[in-house]
Amino acid sequence: MKFKIVTLGCKVNGYESNAVREQFLLHGFIEDKNPDVVVINTCSVTSVADQKSRQHIRKYHRDFPNAIIVVMGCYSQKNAEYILSNCGAHIVLGTSGRNTIMQCLNEYISTKVKIININNDVRHLSYEDFNVIALPKSTRAYVKIQDGCNNFCSYCTIPYTRGQSRSRNRLSIINEIKTLVKNGYKEIVITGIHTAHYGLDIKEKFSDLMEEILNIEGLYRVRVSSIEESEIDDHFIELLAKYKNIANHLHMPLQSGSPTVLKRMHRKYNVEDFIAKVNKIRVVKPDIAITTDVIVGFPGESEEEFLETYEFIKKVGFSELHVFPFSAREGTLAANMDNQVDEKIKAQRVQKLIELSNELHHQYASKFIGKEVEVILEERNRKTSLLSGFTSNYLRVSVDLPDSYKGKIYKTIYEVIE
């Protein structure tokens, strides 16, 4: 039989899709554009993500009417009955139990009875380890070390769909990375739902795990997908100073630079601590790229509060922003807060921050023009048809080289800001 996997959302979903892909390959399935089975890994981080999940399920049911449609992920965790009744799905899994996908598939083929396999007790899940996985050919591999979240920010549904924070076995992590390095991967991205909460449930520390990873022989580069200010301890900062193979880039979610908005969001830090930690990092890594996430239009966000965020972003001097308009999620505190912000105002504020992001990126990248950089060449740039990749500090570089250079580490002079 032939299969196809469609992935929406975050890098964790991408990792889990690859794990499911391996299950299909191990059972003799062939990945093909005309599938007998379509697996759709859904996202539910915003209402737009919910909508896209529904659209994709219906689209693939329509495009492949004879295929078995399997749906899994965050959206399906909370909407299984609706998906089965209204979207054309045949099997619905959630954010756990993905290792039962073959059993469910065989049962459906045998009985033609639609299946829901959802564990609703998400706050008591154990870590679902997929072990070493066979990734599609690339130069960068994502390695999941943790699942779930304990923060319960007032705008977020993830603790309700992904469950409590839980850590992967350390030996399993190390063995997977060693295998990936042996197979030629140059960059490993450490990821999770709340990545640096690794170890809280098993009395281990994220920074200790990172040091063990950084010492793996032959590992050229390690990047952390995201890390909160409060999770960057002195040991982690020491690693930034000591190890050349840790990426000169951190993604530190801010969400808002307004103290009052952060309080309404139930974020567990303040702006003073945030900028103090950034300054401490820059003592050991002066040219580090620090990127962030920002939510605009949170309920009650006044013009003054938005300007606080705007000015704080400039003060920190991020190298790039990921900007999102607030999306009300059913079942969260923020969805029922007073003073919801008008959509037009949200759009205006998003645009202002995108413009600021472009300005900040140009300021940061300009510092490296004329300097030698090392880039892992990955793929053809769609706009220029040049071979491109990223430096340690996450600057995209494109060069006029043949495909034989894909996957190689290349030194060049940084000339064009992309």
Side-chain angles (χ1 to χ4, degrees):
M1 292 181 74
K2 296 173 292 185
F3 76 99
K4 179 181 180 66
I5 297 180
V6 180
T7 306
L8 304 173
C10 66
K11 298 299 186 292
V12 172
N13 266 12
Y15 178 92
E16 292 166 351
S17 289
N18 284 326
V20 169
R21 176 182 286 107
E22 181 174 270
Q23 290 187 51
F24 276 92
L25 294 174
L26 288 174
H27 283 80
F29 284 70
I30 298 170
E31 197 163 11
D32 193 272
K33 62 182 180 181
N34 295 305
D36 303 301
V37 181
V38 180
V39 179
I40 302 164
N41 196 357
T42 60
C43 177
S44 187
V45 70
T46 65
S47 57
V48 173
D50 283 357
Q51 183 182 24
K52 285 184 178 179
S53 294
R54 291 190 295 271
Q55 288 173 344
H56 275 72
I57 299 164
R58 288 169 177 149
K59 167 184 163 45
Y60 282 96
H61 175 60
R62 183 173 63 251
D63 290 351
F64 303 103
N66 297 319
I68 300 169
I69 306 296
V70 181
V71 182
M72 65 182 197
C74 290
Y75 178 69
S76 60
Q77 178 68 37
K78 288 292 184 181
N79 300 277
E81 293 286 354
Y82 178 87
I83 291 168
L84 214 61
S85 301
N86 298 282
C87 298
H90 303 99
I91 300 169
V92 182
L93 309 173
T95 56
S96 63
R98 275 72 54 96
N99 54 7
T100 68
I101 194 165
M102 286 300 155
Q103 177 184 336
C104 292
L105 189 58
N106 289 332
E107 181 180 336
Y108 177 79
I109 291 171
S110 175
T111 66
K112 295 297 186 290
V113 176
K114 292 184 177 183
I115 297 169
I116 292 178
N117 185 10
I118 300 282
N119 185 343
N120 290 312
D121 188 16
V122 295
R123 299 308 300 173
H124 297 92
L125 295 173
S126 57
Y127 186 87
E128 185 176 26
D129 200 337
F130 298 109
N131 297 311
V132 178
I133 61 175
L135 296 171
K137 188 62 177 174
S138 182
T139 57
R140 182 191 299 129
Y142 291 85
V143 173
K144 180 183 169 187
I145 67 167
Q146 176 275 347
D147 205 341
C149 183
N150 297 338
N151 276 5
F152 290 95
C153 297
S154 62
Y155 53 82
C156 186
T157 62
I158 296 302
Y160 307 102
T161 59
R162 283 279 180 174
Q164 87 286 4
S165 182
R166 50 206 187 273
S167 304
R168 182 179 176 184
N169 176 271
R170 179 191 286 241
L171 183 60
S172 176
I173 296 167
I174 298 301
N175 286 341
E176 178 167 357
I177 295 174
K178 285 181 177 178
T179 299
L180 290 166
V181 171
K182 184 179 178 181
N183 289 342
Y185 286 86
K186 300 292 192 299
E187 180 175 314
I188 301 298
V189 182
I190 305 302
T191 193
I193 294 300
H194 196 142
T195 308
H197 265 191
Y198 169 86
L200 293 183
D201 55 329
I202 55 176
K203 297 182 179 179
E204 294 190 21
K205 291 177 65 177
F206 173 72
S207 55
D208 290 340
L209 171 67
M210 280 298 298
E211 184 160 29
E212 188 170 352
I213 291 170
L214 289 164
N215 278 294
I216 291 174
E217 185 177 353
L219 180 50
Y220 174 74
R221 185 187 293 166
V222 181
R223 196 182 300 275
V224 180
S225 62
S226 180
I227 186 167
E228 302 270 353
E229 171 275 323
S230 60
E231 295 152 2
I232 300 175
D233 58 16
D234 288 344
H235 184 201
F236 186 84
I237 294 175
E238 289 171 7
L239 300 181
L240 289 173
K242 180 180 178 181
Y243 289 90
K244 292 183 179 180
N245 60 342
I246 190 168
N248 195 24
H249 164 233
L250 290 176
H251 186 81
M252 297 172 58
L254 174 67
Q255 309 306 1
S256 176
S258 166
T260 47
V261 173
L262 284 175
K263 188 174 181 179
R264 295 200 298 276
M265 287 180 167
H266 294 181
R267 297 291 287 170
K268 301 181 186 302
Y269 54 83
N270 56 54
V271 291
E272 292 81 9
D273 289 343
F274 193 101
I275 198 163
K277 190 64 62 72
V278 169
N279 290 337
K280 197 170 184 179
I281 292 165
R282 285 181 173 147
V283 168
V284 301
K285 285 282 191 179
D287 62 348
I288 191 169
I290 298 179
T291 55
T292 197
D293 298 327
V294 186
I295 296 172
V296 299
F298 190 78
E301 184 186 63
S302 65
E303 186 65 20
E304 181 182 0
E305 288 173 325
F306 172 71
L307 290 175
E308 285 178 331
T309 294
Y310 190 93
E311 292 302 322
F312 185 74
I313 288 167
K314 290 202 296 184
K315 184 178 180 180
V316 173
F318 294 103
S319 60
E320 196 170 2
L321 314 175
H322 297 168
V323 186
F324 306 92
F326 168 74
S327 176
R329 315 299 291 120
E330 183 180 351
T332 63
L333 291 172
N336 297 315
M337 287 181 177
D338 295 331
N339 301 317
Q340 298 285 326
V341 177
D342 183 81
E343 294 299 323
K344 289 183 179 179
I345 294 175
K346 285 184 195 177
Q348 291 169 358
R349 292 176 181 173
V350 166
Q351 186 57 37
K352 285 181 181 179
L353 287 189
I354 289 174
E355 291 171 1
L356 178 58
S357 177
N358 292 337
E359 179 184 329
L360 291 170
H361 177 67
H362 193 274
Q363 288 175 3
Y364 177 77
S366 294
K367 299 175 185 178
F368 300 91
I369 290 178
K371 295 183 179 180
E372 186 179 75
V373 294
E374 282 189 355
V375 56
I376 303 174
L377 297 173
E378 300 180 28
E379 61 186 0
R380 289 282 162 198
N381 187 314
R382 292 181 181 178
K383 293 181 180 179
T384 65
S385 296
L386 299 176
L387 203 57
S388 72
F390 289 94
T391 63
S392 176
N393 57 339
Y394 214 61
L395 296 176
R396 181 182 282 278
V397 176
S398 296
V399 290
D400 189 7
L401 290 171
D403 283 349
S404 58
Y405 280 82
K406 279 186 181 179
K408 297 188 184 301
I409 301 160
Y410 186 76
K411 290 184 179 182
T412 187
I413 301 300
Y414 187 65
E415 296 177 340
V416 180
I417 298 172
E418 296 187 37

